[in-house]
Protein backbone atom coordinates (compact mmCIF):
# COMPACT_ATOMS: atom_id res chain seq x y z
CA UNK A 1 0.00 0.00 0.00
CA UNK A 2 1.23 3.41 -0.82
CA UNK A 3 2.19 5.48 2.16
CA UNK A 4 0.74 8.58 0.54
CA UNK A 5 -2.13 8.62 3.01
CA UNK A 6 -1.28 10.12 6.33
CA UNK A 7 -3.81 10.40 9.08
CA UNK A 8 -3.85 13.57 11.07
CA UNK A 9 -4.08 13.24 14.79
CA UNK A 10 -5.90 16.32 15.98
CA UNK A 11 -6.19 15.07 19.54
CA UNK A 12 -3.68 12.34 20.27
CA UNK A 13 -5.35 9.26 21.70
CA UNK A 14 -4.06 7.63 24.83
CA UNK A 15 -0.77 5.95 24.02
CA UNK A 16 -2.28 2.48 24.26
CA UNK A 17 -4.84 2.98 21.52
CA UNK A 18 -3.07 5.20 19.07
CA UNK A 19 -2.39 3.75 15.64
CA UNK A 20 0.93 4.21 13.86
CA UNK A 21 1.47 7.38 11.86
CA UNK A 22 0.42 6.81 8.29
CA UNK A 23 -2.07 4.10 9.23
CA UNK A 24 -4.62 4.10 6.41
CA UNK A 25 -8.24 4.69 7.36
CA UNK A 26 -10.70 3.75 4.67
CA UNK A 27 -14.04 2.29 3.71
CA UNK A 28 -14.85 -0.26 1.04
CA UNK A 29 -17.58 -1.07 -1.47
CA UNK A 30 -17.92 -3.21 -4.60
CA UNK A 31 -19.25 -2.39 -8.04
CA UNK A 32 -22.27 -4.68 -8.31
CA UNK A 33 -23.28 -3.95 -4.73
CA UNK A 34 -23.61 -0.18 -5.15
CA UNK A 35 -23.41 1.06 -8.73
CA UNK A 36 -26.74 0.23 -10.33
CA UNK A 37 -26.90 1.52 -13.93
CA UNK A 38 -26.76 -2.10 -14.96
CA UNK A 39 -27.56 -1.46 -18.59
CA UNK A 40 -26.01 1.95 -19.00
CA UNK A 41 -23.16 3.22 -21.13
CA UNK A 42 -22.49 -0.11 -22.76
CA UNK A 43 -22.15 -2.31 -19.68
CA UNK A 44 -22.58 -5.99 -20.55
CA UNK A 45 -24.38 -8.52 -18.36
CA UNK A 46 -22.50 -10.16 -15.52
CA UNK A 47 -23.11 -13.45 -13.78
CA UNK A 48 -24.77 -11.51 -10.97
CA UNK A 49 -27.33 -10.02 -13.35
CA UNK A 50 -28.19 -13.52 -14.50
CA UNK A 51 -28.11 -15.05 -11.04
CA UNK A 52 -30.17 -12.36 -9.33
CA UNK A 53 -32.83 -12.80 -12.02
CA UNK A 54 -33.00 -16.54 -11.41
CA UNK A 55 -36.01 -17.18 -9.15
CA UNK A 56 -35.12 -18.25 -5.65
CA UNK A 57 -31.46 -17.27 -5.73
CA UNK A 58 -31.57 -13.86 -4.03
CA UNK A 59 -33.82 -12.91 -1.12
CA UNK A 60 -36.87 -10.98 -2.33
CA UNK A 61 -35.79 -11.35 -5.96
CA UNK A 62 -33.57 -8.30 -5.44
CA UNK A 63 -31.09 -7.33 -8.15
CA UNK A 64 -28.28 -4.82 -8.54
CA UNK A 65 -30.11 -2.97 -11.33
CA UNK A 66 -30.34 0.22 -9.28
CA UNK A 67 -28.59 -0.61 -5.99
CA UNK A 68 -27.35 2.65 -4.41
CA UNK A 69 -27.34 4.39 -7.79
CA UNK A 70 -23.72 5.19 -7.07
CA UNK A 71 -23.00 5.32 -10.81
CA UNK A 72 -24.90 8.61 -10.91
CA UNK A 73 -24.34 9.73 -7.33
CA UNK A 74 -20.63 9.06 -7.02
CA UNK A 75 -19.80 12.74 -6.44
CA UNK A 76 -22.24 12.93 -3.54
CA UNK A 77 -20.76 9.72 -2.14
CA UNK A 78 -17.21 11.00 -2.43
CA UNK A 79 -18.31 14.15 -0.59
CA UNK A 80 -19.59 11.89 2.20
CA UNK A 81 -16.24 10.14 2.33
CA UNK A 82 -14.49 13.49 2.59
CA UNK A 83 -16.84 14.51 5.37
CA UNK A 84 -15.84 11.36 7.25
CA UNK A 85 -12.17 12.13 6.75
CA UNK A 86 -11.41 8.90 4.89
CA UNK A 87 -7.83 8.66 3.71
CA UNK A 88 -8.60 5.92 1.21
CA UNK A 89 -11.54 4.38 -0.60
CA UNK A 90 -11.55 0.80 -1.83
CA UNK A 91 -13.87 0.22 -4.77
CA UNK A 92 -14.03 -2.36 -7.51
CA UNK A 93 -14.16 -2.02 -11.26
CA UNK A 94 -16.93 -3.89 -13.06
CA UNK A 95 -15.26 -6.00 -15.74
CA UNK A 96 -18.45 -6.01 -17.89
CA UNK A 97 -18.35 -2.21 -18.05
CA UNK A 98 -14.83 -2.32 -19.46
CA UNK A 99 -15.08 -5.37 -21.71
CA UNK A 100 -18.77 -6.15 -22.04
CA UNK A 101 -18.16 -9.60 -23.47
CA UNK A 102 -15.09 -10.36 -21.39
CA UNK A 103 -12.40 -10.38 -24.06
CA UNK A 104 -13.56 -8.22 -26.95
CA UNK A 105 -13.54 -4.50 -27.63
CA UNK A 106 -12.94 -2.07 -24.79
CA UNK A 107 -15.92 0.06 -23.81
CA UNK A 108 -14.45 3.49 -23.26
CA UNK A 109 -17.57 4.82 -21.53
CA UNK A 110 -17.03 2.23 -18.81
CA UNK A 111 -13.47 3.40 -18.26
CA UNK A 112 -14.72 6.99 -18.26
CA UNK A 113 -16.83 6.31 -15.18
CA UNK A 114 -13.88 5.08 -13.11
CA UNK A 115 -11.83 7.95 -14.45
CA UNK A 116 -14.40 10.44 -13.14
CA UNK A 117 -14.58 8.63 -9.80
CA UNK A 118 -10.79 8.55 -9.45
CA UNK A 119 -10.47 12.25 -10.17
CA UNK A 120 -13.25 13.09 -7.75
CA UNK A 121 -11.50 11.11 -5.01
CA UNK A 122 -8.13 12.68 -5.68
CA UNK A 123 -9.64 16.14 -5.71
CA UNK A 124 -10.83 15.45 -2.16
CA UNK A 125 -7.50 14.00 -1.05
CA UNK A 126 -8.78 10.41 -0.90
CA UNK A 127 -6.51 7.64 -2.12
CA UNK A 128 -8.27 5.33 -4.62
CA UNK A 129 -7.63 1.64 -3.96
CA UNK A 130 -8.85 -0.38 -6.92
CA UNK A 131 -10.00 -3.99 -6.85
CA UNK A 132 -10.18 -5.45 -10.34
CA UNK A 133 -12.53 -8.33 -9.59
CA UNK A 134 -15.22 -8.31 -6.95
CA UNK A 135 -17.34 -11.09 -8.45
CA UNK A 136 -19.11 -9.56 -11.45
CA UNK A 137 -17.74 -11.81 -14.19
CA UNK A 138 -18.95 -11.02 -17.72
CA UNK A 139 -21.69 -13.56 -18.49
CA UNK A 140 -20.10 -14.44 -21.84
CA UNK A 141 -17.05 -15.75 -20.01
CA UNK A 142 -19.21 -17.85 -17.74
CA UNK A 143 -20.91 -19.25 -20.83
CA UNK A 144 -17.46 -20.45 -21.90
CA UNK A 145 -16.78 -22.13 -18.55
CA UNK A 146 -16.14 -19.22 -16.19
CA UNK A 147 -13.48 -19.78 -13.57
CA UNK A 148 -13.40 -23.51 -14.20
CA UNK A 149 -11.41 -22.83 -17.38
CA UNK A 150 -7.96 -21.38 -17.84
CA UNK A 151 -9.01 -18.88 -20.53
CA UNK A 152 -10.80 -16.82 -17.89
CA UNK A 153 -7.53 -16.28 -16.01
CA UNK A 154 -5.87 -15.14 -19.22
CA UNK A 155 -8.77 -12.83 -20.07
CA UNK A 156 -8.56 -11.34 -16.57
CA UNK A 157 -4.91 -10.37 -17.01
CA UNK A 158 -5.73 -8.64 -20.31
CA UNK A 159 -8.62 -6.76 -18.74
CA UNK A 160 -6.45 -5.77 -15.75
CA UNK A 161 -3.93 -4.21 -18.06
CA UNK A 162 -6.62 -2.25 -19.91
CA UNK A 163 -7.80 -0.70 -16.64
CA UNK A 164 -4.25 -0.01 -15.51
CA UNK A 165 -3.43 1.80 -18.74
CA UNK A 166 -6.30 4.20 -18.14
CA UNK A 167 -5.99 4.78 -14.38
CA UNK A 168 -2.44 3.79 -13.54
CA UNK A 169 -1.17 7.37 -13.65
CA UNK A 170 -3.45 8.20 -10.70
CA UNK A 171 -4.22 4.97 -8.85
CA UNK A 172 -1.35 3.69 -6.71
CA UNK A 173 -2.78 0.49 -5.29
CA UNK A 174 -3.97 -2.40 -7.46
CA UNK A 175 -5.79 -5.34 -5.95
CA UNK A 176 -6.39 -8.21 -8.33
CA UNK A 177 -9.13 -10.31 -6.73
CA UNK A 178 -11.51 -10.02 -3.83
CA UNK A 179 -12.01 -13.22 -1.82
CA UNK A 180 -11.35 -15.94 -4.39
CA UNK A 181 -12.61 -18.34 -1.72
CA UNK A 182 -16.14 -17.02 -2.28
CA UNK A 183 -15.86 -17.04 -6.06
CA UNK A 184 -14.67 -20.63 -6.14
CA UNK A 185 -16.59 -22.30 -3.36
CA UNK A 186 -19.80 -20.26 -3.14
CA UNK A 187 -19.97 -19.81 -6.91
CA UNK A 188 -19.03 -23.33 -8.05
CA UNK A 189 -19.19 -25.39 -4.83
CA UNK A 190 -22.40 -24.86 -2.90
CA UNK A 191 -23.89 -22.53 -5.51
CA UNK A 192 -25.26 -19.88 -3.17
CA UNK A 193 -23.47 -17.21 -5.22
CA UNK A 194 -23.34 -16.66 -8.98
CA UNK A 195 -23.02 -18.60 -11.18
CA UNK A 196 -24.75 -21.02 -8.80
CA UNK A 197 -22.94 -24.23 -9.77
CA UNK A 198 -22.58 -27.23 -7.48
CA UNK A 199 -19.51 -29.00 -8.74
CA UNK A 200 -16.77 -29.87 -6.22
CA UNK A 201 -14.14 -30.61 -8.86
CA UNK A 202 -15.09 -27.44 -10.74
CA UNK A 203 -14.74 -25.40 -7.56
CA UNK A 204 -11.16 -26.64 -7.13
CA UNK A 205 -10.35 -25.86 -10.76
CA UNK A 206 -11.76 -22.40 -10.05
CA UNK A 207 -9.43 -22.01 -7.05
CA UNK A 208 -6.45 -22.70 -9.25
CA UNK A 209 -7.58 -20.49 -12.11
CA UNK A 210 -8.23 -17.64 -9.66
CA UNK A 211 -4.75 -18.04 -8.20
CA UNK A 212 -3.40 -18.11 -11.74
CA UNK A 213 -5.46 -15.06 -12.70
CA UNK A 214 -3.88 -13.18 -9.83
CA UNK A 215 -0.39 -14.21 -10.92
CA UNK A 216 -0.92 -13.37 -14.58
CA UNK A 217 -2.52 -10.03 -13.76
CA UNK A 218 0.11 -9.12 -11.14
CA UNK A 219 2.83 -9.85 -13.67
CA UNK A 220 1.11 -7.79 -16.38
CA UNK A 221 0.40 -4.90 -14.01
CA UNK A 222 3.97 -4.78 -12.79
CA UNK A 223 5.32 -4.93 -16.34
CA UNK A 224 3.05 -2.00 -17.20
CA UNK A 225 4.45 0.00 -14.28
CA UNK A 226 2.24 -0.75 -11.25
CA UNK A 227 4.07 -0.51 -7.95
CA UNK A 228 1.64 -1.53 -5.22
CA UNK A 229 0.06 -4.86 -6.05
CA UNK A 230 -2.18 -6.79 -3.72
CA UNK A 231 -4.83 -9.45 -3.46
CA UNK A 232 -7.61 -9.58 -0.89
CA UNK A 233 -8.35 -12.92 0.76
CA UNK A 234 -10.82 -13.86 3.46
CA UNK A 235 -8.68 -16.15 5.56
CA UNK A 236 -10.53 -17.62 8.46
CA UNK A 237 -9.21 -18.80 11.77
CA UNK A 238 -10.25 -22.46 11.86
CA UNK A 239 -9.97 -23.94 15.34
CA UNK A 240 -10.56 -27.45 16.63
CA UNK A 241 -13.62 -27.47 18.82
CA UNK A 242 -11.72 -29.54 21.36
CA UNK A 243 -8.09 -28.47 21.10
CA UNK A 244 -6.98 -31.57 22.98
CA UNK A 245 -8.73 -33.99 20.61
CA UNK A 246 -6.46 -35.19 17.76
CA UNK A 247 -9.45 -35.91 15.49
CA UNK A 248 -10.71 -32.33 15.89
CA UNK A 249 -7.21 -31.01 15.27
CA UNK A 250 -7.01 -33.08 12.08
CA UNK A 251 -10.42 -31.74 10.99
CA UNK A 252 -9.25 -28.16 11.54
CA UNK A 253 -6.10 -28.81 9.51
CA UNK A 254 -8.19 -30.08 6.57
CA UNK A 255 -10.51 -27.07 6.61
CA UNK A 256 -7.63 -24.64 7.10
CA UNK A 257 -6.05 -26.27 4.06
CA UNK A 258 -8.95 -25.93 1.62
CA UNK A 259 -10.02 -22.54 2.99
CA UNK A 260 -6.74 -20.76 3.64
CA UNK A 261 -3.51 -22.48 2.69
CA UNK A 262 -4.76 -23.37 -0.81
CA UNK A 263 -4.53 -19.63 -1.52
CA UNK A 264 -1.85 -18.39 0.87
CA UNK A 265 0.78 -21.00 0.07
CA UNK A 266 0.94 -20.67 -3.72
CA UNK A 267 0.67 -16.88 -3.48
CA UNK A 268 3.31 -16.40 -0.81
CA UNK A 269 5.43 -19.55 -0.93
CA UNK A 270 5.09 -20.63 -4.53
CA UNK A 271 3.61 -24.07 -3.94
CA UNK A 272 0.41 -25.81 -2.97
CA UNK A 273 0.67 -27.57 0.40
CA UNK A 274 1.26 -31.30 -0.06
CA UNK A 275 -1.44 -32.28 2.46
CA UNK A 276 -4.03 -30.18 0.61
CA UNK A 277 -3.12 -31.63 -2.79
CA UNK A 278 -3.37 -35.11 -1.36
CA UNK A 279 -6.69 -34.35 0.29
CA UNK A 280 -8.31 -32.90 -2.84
CA UNK A 281 -6.92 -35.52 -5.19
CA UNK A 282 -9.85 -37.74 -4.30
CA UNK A 283 -12.14 -35.08 -5.82
CA UNK A 284 -10.11 -33.97 -8.84
CA UNK A 285 -7.19 -35.28 -10.89
CA UNK A 286 -5.57 -31.81 -10.59
CA UNK A 287 -4.92 -31.82 -14.35
CA UNK A 288 -5.70 -28.09 -14.43
CA UNK A 289 -2.33 -27.38 -12.74
CA UNK A 290 0.19 -26.97 -15.56
CA UNK A 291 3.97 -26.80 -15.39
CA UNK A 292 5.10 -23.35 -14.36
CA UNK A 293 1.74 -22.27 -12.92
CA UNK A 294 2.90 -22.02 -9.33
CA UNK A 295 5.81 -19.80 -10.39
CA UNK A 296 3.34 -17.51 -12.13
CA UNK A 297 1.11 -17.38 -9.06
CA UNK A 298 4.06 -16.57 -6.79
CA UNK A 299 4.48 -12.89 -7.73
CA UNK A 300 5.95 -10.30 -5.38
CA UNK A 301 3.09 -8.97 -3.27
CA UNK A 302 3.25 -5.47 -1.82
CA UNK A 303 0.28 -5.90 0.45
CA UNK A 304 -1.99 -8.76 1.47
CA UNK A 305 -5.57 -7.65 2.00
CA UNK A 306 -7.52 -9.45 4.69
CA UNK A 307 -11.29 -9.42 4.98
CA UNK A 308 -12.40 -10.55 8.40
CA UNK A 309 -15.84 -11.16 9.87
CA UNK A 310 -16.00 -14.30 12.01
CA UNK A 311 -14.07 -17.43 13.05
CA UNK A 312 -14.82 -21.14 12.50
CA UNK A 313 -14.80 -24.05 14.92
CA UNK A 314 -14.82 -27.59 13.62
CA UNK A 315 -14.91 -31.09 14.98
CA UNK A 316 -14.61 -34.60 13.64
CA UNK A 317 -18.06 -36.14 13.24
CA UNK A 318 -18.20 -39.46 11.43
CA UNK A 319 -21.15 -39.59 9.02
CA UNK A 320 -21.47 -35.82 8.69
CA UNK A 321 -22.19 -34.94 5.04
CA UNK A 322 -19.70 -32.59 3.39
CA UNK A 323 -20.33 -28.88 2.98
CA UNK A 324 -20.22 -27.65 -0.64
CA UNK A 325 -18.16 -24.63 0.32
CA UNK A 326 -15.40 -26.85 1.76
CA UNK A 327 -14.65 -29.64 -0.72
CA UNK A 328 -13.76 -32.88 1.02
CA UNK A 329 -15.30 -31.89 4.35
CA UNK A 330 -17.25 -35.11 4.81
CA UNK A 331 -17.04 -36.21 8.45
CA UNK A 332 -16.41 -32.68 9.69
CA UNK A 333 -18.99 -30.60 11.57
CA UNK A 334 -18.98 -26.81 11.83
CA UNK A 335 -20.10 -25.52 15.20
CA UNK A 336 -23.13 -23.26 15.16
CA UNK A 337 -22.32 -19.72 16.30
CA UNK A 338 -22.30 -19.22 20.05
CA UNK A 339 -22.54 -15.98 21.98
CA UNK A 340 -23.34 -12.67 20.30
CA UNK A 341 -23.92 -12.76 16.56
CA UNK A 342 -24.57 -10.11 13.91
CA UNK A 343 -27.64 -9.97 11.67
CA UNK A 344 -25.83 -12.46 9.37
CA UNK A 345 -25.77 -14.89 12.30
CA UNK A 346 -21.98 -14.58 12.29
CA UNK A 347 -20.34 -15.09 15.66
CA UNK A 348 -18.59 -12.00 17.03
CA UNK A 349 -15.12 -12.81 18.26
CA UNK A 350 -12.63 -9.96 17.84
CA UNK A 351 -9.75 -11.86 19.50
CA UNK A 352 -9.92 -14.25 16.57
CA UNK A 353 -8.81 -11.40 14.30
CA UNK A 354 -5.73 -10.77 16.44
CA UNK A 355 -4.85 -14.45 16.36
CA UNK A 356 -5.42 -14.67 12.60
CA UNK A 357 -3.23 -11.64 11.86
CA UNK A 358 -0.52 -12.92 14.17
CA UNK A 359 -0.59 -16.32 12.52
CA UNK A 360 -0.36 -14.92 8.98
CA UNK A 361 2.45 -12.63 10.03
CA UNK A 362 4.27 -15.61 11.54
CA UNK A 363 3.64 -18.19 8.80
CA UNK A 364 4.02 -15.85 5.82
CA UNK A 365 6.52 -13.27 7.02
CA UNK A 366 7.54 -10.21 5.08
CA UNK A 367 4.22 -9.20 3.53
CA UNK A 368 2.53 -6.10 4.92
CA UNK A 369 -1.11 -6.68 5.80
CA UNK A 370 -4.17 -4.49 5.41
CA UNK A 371 -7.69 -5.07 6.70
CA UNK A 372 -9.57 -4.48 3.45
CA UNK A 373 -12.99 -5.33 4.95
CA UNK A 374 -14.42 -5.63 8.41
CA UNK A 375 -17.85 -4.72 9.63
CA UNK A 376 -21.24 -5.99 10.69
CA UNK A 377 -24.80 -6.23 9.45
CA UNK A 378 -27.46 -4.93 11.80
CA UNK A 379 -31.08 -4.07 11.10
CA UNK A 380 -32.12 -0.75 9.66
CA UNK A 381 -31.61 2.47 11.58
CA UNK A 382 -29.10 5.27 11.98
CA UNK A 383 -28.59 4.59 15.67
CA UNK A 384 -26.36 1.56 15.56
CA UNK A 385 -24.56 1.08 18.87
CA UNK A 386 -23.99 -2.59 18.11
CA UNK A 387 -22.08 -1.73 14.95
CA UNK A 388 -20.01 0.83 16.87
CA UNK A 389 -19.16 -1.88 19.39
CA UNK A 390 -18.28 -4.33 16.64
CA UNK A 391 -15.98 -1.88 14.87
CA UNK A 392 -14.45 -0.63 18.08
CA UNK A 393 -13.70 -4.14 19.34
CA UNK A 394 -12.20 -5.22 16.02
CA UNK A 395 -10.04 -2.12 15.80
CA UNK A 396 -8.83 -2.91 19.28
CA UNK A 397 -8.03 -6.41 18.02
CA UNK A 398 -6.03 -4.82 15.18
CA UNK A 399 -4.22 -2.70 17.71
CA UNK A 400 -3.38 -5.81 19.72
CA UNK A 401 -1.95 -7.36 16.56
CA UNK A 402 0.17 -4.26 15.95
CA UNK A 403 1.41 -4.43 19.53
CA UNK A 404 2.37 -8.06 18.90
CA UNK A 405 4.54 -6.94 15.99
CA UNK A 406 2.20 -7.53 13.03
CA UNK A 407 2.92 -5.25 10.08
CA UNK A 408 -0.64 -3.95 9.65
CA UNK A 409 -0.89 -0.89 7.44
CA UNK A 410 -4.54 0.08 7.51
CA UNK A 411 -8.21 -0.67 7.97
CA UNK A 412 -11.17 -0.39 5.61
CA UNK A 413 -14.64 -0.55 7.10
CA UNK A 414 -17.18 -2.67 5.24
CA UNK A 415 -19.11 -0.89 4.08
CA UNK A 416 -19.36 2.77 3.29
CA UNK A 417 -23.01 2.32 2.28
CA UNK A 418 -25.80 -0.10 2.91
CA UNK A 419 -25.86 -2.14 -0.28
CA UNK A 420 -26.81 -5.27 -2.22
CA UNK A 421 -25.58 -8.02 0.08
CA UNK A 422 -25.39 -10.75 -2.60
CA UNK A 423 -27.77 -13.65 -1.92
CA UNK A 424 -29.26 -11.66 0.98
CA UNK A 425 -30.33 -8.80 -1.29
CA UNK A 426 -30.90 -5.45 0.40
CA UNK A 427 -32.13 -7.01 3.62
CA UNK A 428 -28.77 -7.13 5.38
CA UNK A 429 -27.30 -3.72 6.01
CA UNK A 430 -23.54 -3.33 6.49
CA UNK A 431 -23.24 0.41 5.83
CA UNK A 432 -21.91 3.01 8.20
CA UNK A 433 -24.03 5.26 6.01
CA UNK A 434 -27.73 4.44 5.78
CA UNK A 435 -29.33 4.29 2.33
CA UNK A 436 -33.05 4.76 1.85
CA UNK A 437 -33.58 2.66 -1.27
CA UNK A 438 -36.80 4.48 -2.18
CA UNK A 439 -35.37 7.99 -2.21
CA UNK A 440 -31.65 7.11 -2.45
CA UNK A 441 -31.07 9.46 0.45
CA UNK A 442 -27.91 8.84 2.45
CA UNK A 443 -27.73 9.47 6.21
CA UNK A 444 -24.72 9.05 8.47
CA UNK A 445 -25.27 6.37 11.06
CA UNK A 446 -23.81 6.85 14.53
CA UNK A 447 -21.07 4.42 13.49
CA UNK A 448 -20.01 6.77 10.68
CA UNK A 449 -19.81 9.68 13.11
CA UNK A 450 -17.89 7.52 15.55
CA UNK A 451 -15.50 6.41 12.77
CA UNK A 452 -14.89 10.03 11.83
CA UNK A 453 -13.63 10.67 15.39
CA UNK A 454 -11.44 7.56 15.31
CA UNK A 455 -9.85 8.78 12.09
CA UNK A 456 -9.39 12.29 13.48
CA UNK A 457 -7.54 11.12 16.57
CA UNK A 458 -5.86 8.19 14.76
CA UNK A 459 -6.93 5.97 17.60
CA UNK A 460 -9.62 4.70 19.88
CA UNK A 461 -10.94 6.36 22.97
C1 LIG B 1 -17.48 -10.18 1.89
C2 LIG B 1 -17.59 -9.54 0.53
C3 LIG B 1 -18.32 -8.23 0.53
C4 LIG B 1 -19.49 -8.23 1.48
C5 LIG B 1 -19.08 -8.73 2.85
C6 LIG B 1 -20.18 -8.74 3.87
O1 LIG B 1 -17.34 -11.54 1.75
O2 LIG B 1 -16.32 -9.34 -0.02
O3 LIG B 1 -18.70 -7.94 -0.78
O4 LIG B 1 -20.55 -8.91 0.96
O5 LIG B 1 -18.57 -10.03 2.74
Amino acid sequence: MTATVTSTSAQPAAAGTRFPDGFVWGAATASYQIEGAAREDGRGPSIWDTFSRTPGKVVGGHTGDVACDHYHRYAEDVALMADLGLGAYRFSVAWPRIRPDGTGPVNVRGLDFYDRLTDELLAKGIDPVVTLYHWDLPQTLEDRGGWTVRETAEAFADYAEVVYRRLGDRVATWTTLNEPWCTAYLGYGNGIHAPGKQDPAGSLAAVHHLNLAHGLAARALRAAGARNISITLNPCEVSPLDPTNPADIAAATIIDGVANRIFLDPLLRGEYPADVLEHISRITDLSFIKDGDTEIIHQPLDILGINFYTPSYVSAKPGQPGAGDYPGSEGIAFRKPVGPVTDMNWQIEPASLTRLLTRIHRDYPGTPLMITENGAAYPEGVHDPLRVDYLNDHLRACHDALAAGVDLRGYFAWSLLDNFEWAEGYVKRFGIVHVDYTTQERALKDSAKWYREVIKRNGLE
Side-chain angles (χ1 to χ4, degrees):
M1 163 68 52
T2 161
T4 53
V5 184
T6 25
S7 312
T8 45
S9 26
Q11 320 152 236
T17 52
R18 203 176 180 287
F19 283 75
D21 288 341
F23 193 80
V24 175
W25 295 104
T29 63
S31 46
Y32 191 73
Q33 296 183 274
I34 64 163
E35 285 178 0
R39 288 181 200 78
E40 236 168 282
D41 289 342
R43 177 185 177 278
S46 81
I47 54 174
W48 272 96
D49 296 284
T50 310
F51 189 73
S52 61
R53 274 183 180 66
T54 310
K57 298 298 187 190
V58 174
V59 169
H62 298 168
T63 74
D65 283 1
V66 178
C68 306
D69 195 30
H70 172 77
Y71 192 80
H72 301 113
R73 294 167 196 266
Y74 71 92
E76 180 192 339
D77 291 337
V78 172
L80 272 175
M81 297 176 213
D83 177 33
L84 295 179
L86 297 188
Y89 172 54
R90 172 179 182 252
F91 62 93
S92 76
V93 173
W95 186 346
R97 284 199 196 283
I98 309 304
R99 278 217 154 122
D101 69 1
T103 52
V106 171
N107 175 40
V108 174
R109 287 176 296 167
L111 285 169
D112 290 345
F113 168 67
Y114 298 104
D115 202 275
R116 292 193 292 277
L117 173 60
T118 298
D119 284 347
E120 192 71 26
L121 289 163
L122 291 173
K124 296 268 194 294
I126 300 168
D127 204 11
V129 174
V130 167
T131 300
L132 288 159
Y133 185 73
H134 200 132
W135 307 355
D136 36 7
L137 186 72
Q139 181 61 45
T140 43
L141 290 183
E142 180 53 37
D143 297 342
R144 289 184 242 151
W147 288 109
T148 68
V149 301
R150 197 175 177 89
E151 288 70 26
T152 300
E154 289 158 0
F156 175 71
D158 290 345
Y159 145 75
E161 200 177 327
V162 168
V163 182
Y164 179 80
R165 294 217 178 272
R166 181 68 186 268
L167 302 180
D169 57 338
R170 284 154 292 152
V171 171
T173 305
W174 292 85
T175 305
T176 54
L177 307 173
N178 175 73
E179 299 192 3
W181 181 91
C182 292
T183 301
Y185 296 136
L186 305 184
Y188 299 88
N190 68 6
I192 70 158
H193 278 186
K197 302 268 159 62
Q198 295 182 330
D199 169 12
S203 74
L204 291 164
V207 166
H208 181 66
H209 294 135
L210 285 153
N211 283 333
L212 185 66
H214 163 81
L216 291 169
R219 200 169 67 177
L221 289 166
R222 193 152 331 255
R227 292 281 163 271
N228 291 296
I229 296 176
S230 71
I231 182 170
T232 279
L233 303 178
N234 56 323
C236 177
E237 191 200 19
V238 186
S239 306
L241 189 53
D242 174 357
T244 66
N245 178 343
D248 285 7
I249 294 170
T253 302
I254 289 174
I255 299 302
D256 180 58
V258 292
N260 300 324
R261 291 180 289 122
I262 204 168
F263 298 105
L264 288 164
D265 278 37
L267 288 166
L268 295 162
R269 293 181 174 166
E271 58 185 5
Y272 283 105
D275 66 313
V276 175
L277 289 181
E278 197 202 317
H279 178 71
I280 62 177
S281 61
R282 57 197 165 110
I283 305 168
T284 165
D285 63 8
L286 299 169
S287 56
F288 44 78
I289 305 179
K290 307 289 183 209
D291 279 354
D293 280 3
T294 45
E295 287 76 33
I296 295 173
I297 296 168
H298 187 210
Q299 296 297 315
L301 208 57
D302 301 289
I303 198 94
L304 174 64
I306 309 260
N307 293 353
F308 179 85
Y309 293 93
T310 188
S312 283
Y313 289 85
V314 299
S315 58
K317 191 175 175 205
Q320 173 80 22
D325 42 353
Y326 296 92
S329 57
E330 296 75 20
I332 297 175
F334 284 76
R335 184 181 75 179
K336 294 212 167 35
V338 295
V341 295
T342 67
D343 206 23
M344 298 292 278
N345 198 30
W346 291 348
Q347 179 169 325
I348 302 171
E349 194 178 334
S352 170
L353 174 56
T354 312
R355 294 191 297 264
L356 178 74
L357 291 172
T358 312
R359 177 254 175 129
I360 292 176
H361 178 72
R362 182 195 65 216
D363 290 356
Y364 305 91
T367 307
L369 308 180
M370 176 82 78
I371 301 295
T372 39
E373 284 181 29
N374 175 241
Y378 285 110
E380 183 152 19
V382 292
H383 300 303
D384 57 345
L386 294 174
R387 182 174 290 101
V388 172
D389 285 349
Y390 182 98
L391 296 172
N392 187 63
D393 293 348
H394 284 80
L395 276 170
R396 217 163 271 283
C398 290
H399 196 269
D400 290 346
L402 281 161
V406 173
D407 184 6
L408 181 66
R409 302 287 177 92
Y411 178 94
F412 288 74
W414 182 271
S415 178
L416 177 73
L417 304 170
D418 288 335
N419 61 46
F420 176 82
E421 179 43 40
W422 309 113
E424 303 292 339
Y426 295 98
V427 177
K428 304 293 183 198
R429 290 175 176 266
F430 275 91
I432 56 173
V433 175
H434 180 267
V435 176
D436 178 328
Y437 294 113
T438 322
T439 61
Q440 290 295 348
E441 259 168 59
R442 277 79 163 134
L444 299 191
K445 299 184 190 178
D446 291 346
S447 54
K449 296 176 183 166
W450 169 87
Y451 194 43
R452 176 162 58 194
E453 296 309 307
V454 171
I455 296 171
K456 227 186 252 168
R457 69 169 91 85
N458 195 32
L460 301 170
E461 264 196 313

